[in-house]
Amino acid sequence: MIFYGTKIFVKQLGNVHQAAVCGHCRAQTGHAVIRHWTWFTLFFIPLIPLWKSYFVVCPGCGEKTKIKKSDAKKMISQ
Ligand SMILES: [Zn+2]
C-alpha cells in the first residue's frame, strides 16, 4: 500500500504595517501575512513542492483572506 497526500507548511512572513478593519469581526488591528506552501508527500515525507498561497490573517478572529503574492510583498514592505 502506498501512502501519499499533501502537507501544508505555514510561515508567517510579517505583519501589515497599516491597521485594517477585519471584514469578518470588524476589529481594527494589525493583520499578519502568512504563506501556505503545499507539498506532495509520499509515506508522509514531503517530496515535491506544489504551490504557494498567500493570506492576510486577522489576529482577532482568525479570518483568512487569500491575496496575491505581489500584494503580500507590498503589504509587508511598506
Ligand atoms: Zn477578524
Side-chain angles (χ1 to χ4, degrees), residues 22-27 31 58-63:
C22 173
H24 187 250
C25 69
R26 296 283 164 206
H31 288 58
C58 171
C61 67
E63 177 79 359

Side-chain angles (χ1 to χ4, degrees), residues 1-32:
M1 189 180 274
I2 298 174
F3 291 100
Y4 65 94
T6 57
K7 180 171 173 56
I8 298 172
F9 293 91
V10 180
K11 182 180 182 184
Q12 183 168 345
L13 301 177
N15 291 303
V16 181
H17 294 300
Q18 212 170 355
V21 177
C22 173
H24 187 250
C25 69
R26 296 283 164 206
Q28 186 170 2
T29 57
H31 288 58

Side-chain angles (χ1 to χ4, degrees), residues 6-75:
T6 57
K7 180 171 173 56
I8 298 172
F9 293 91
V10 180
K11 182 180 182 184
Q12 183 168 345
L13 301 177
N15 291 303
V16 181
H17 294 300
Q18 212 170 355
V21 177
C22 173
H24 187 250
C25 69
R26 296 283 164 206
Q28 186 170 2
T29 57
H31 288 58
V33 177
I34 63 166
R35 181 187 70 197
H36 282 193
W37 195 358
T38 306
W39 285 67
F40 172 79
T41 61
L42 189 62
F43 294 102
F44 309 105
I45 299 166
L47 289 181
I48 304 166
L50 296 175
W51 58 81
K52 293 176 183 174
S53 309
Y54 297 83
F55 298 89
V56 172
V57 183
C58 171
C61 67
E63 177 79 359
K64 276 189 222 161
T65 306
K66 193 169 185 180
I67 56 173
K68 289 183 200 163
K69 181 182 181 180
S70 57
D71 291 337
K73 291 203 169 169
K74 267 186 237 162
M75 285 176 168

